Amino acid sequence: MTAALAEKGAREALPAPDPTTALPGRGIRRRPRRERAFDDVPRWQIYLPLGLYLLFTLVPFYWMVLFALRPAGSTSLVPWPLTFAHFEKVWNERSFGMFFENSMIVGVATTSPASSRRTRWSRSDPGSRTRD
């Protein structure tokens, strides 16, 4: 037991190798830093187009939520007071619930056979396919 401890202490006492020094026959090669295309571009030239794109993609969602939640006839850009009358009208008067139910039936009817077919195919011959 003491020999094992002495050997462990001897290993810990050794200095750590310096990673910058090259060993004989095995030089440490450092990759040169590659220049990237955006290294010299100022940050504003990157963030300005990204900000414009973000604005371009998020404004339609804001517009949709605005028209859904503000009262009819309001021209405010802030939907206050909030109203859910439009949702109520669509679900109850326009029979959106029936359309939603039909969509769910079609979705389940087309997905279930394809899913079961995939499951049967994968169990039929487990050796014929490769695993990812």
Side-chain angles (χ1 to χ4, degrees), residues 10-29:
R11 274 188 269 147
E12 289 177 359
L14 293 175
D18 187 11
T20 58
T21 59
L23 298 174
R26 287 185 179 178
I28 294 178
R29 296 181 188 160

Side-chain angles (χ1 to χ4, degrees), residues 118 120-131:
R118 171 76 179 158
R120 281 184 291 170
W121 173 79
S122 65
R123 291 181 185 166
S124 64
D125 189 12
S128 67
R129 61 186 176 104
T130 60
R131 293 182 183 235

Side-chain angles (χ1 to χ4, degrees), residues 73-128:
S74 174
T75 58
S76 173
L77 290 178
V78 178
W80 194 257
L82 295 178
T83 180
F84 292 97
H86 302 295
F87 293 100
E88 196 176 311
K89 182 176 182 179
V90 166
W91 276 99
N92 297 330
E93 295 177 20
R94 306 288 187 216
S95 64
F96 185 77
M98 182 183 66
F99 300 138
F100 184 73
E101 183 182 345
N102 290 342
S103 297
M104 292 303 291
I105 290 171
V106 169
V108 168
T110 57
T111 307
S112 297
S115 176
S116 66
R117 196 173 318 126
R118 171 76 179 158
T119 305
R120 281 184 291 170
W121 173 79
S122 65
R123 291 181 185 166
S124 64
D125 189 12
S128 67

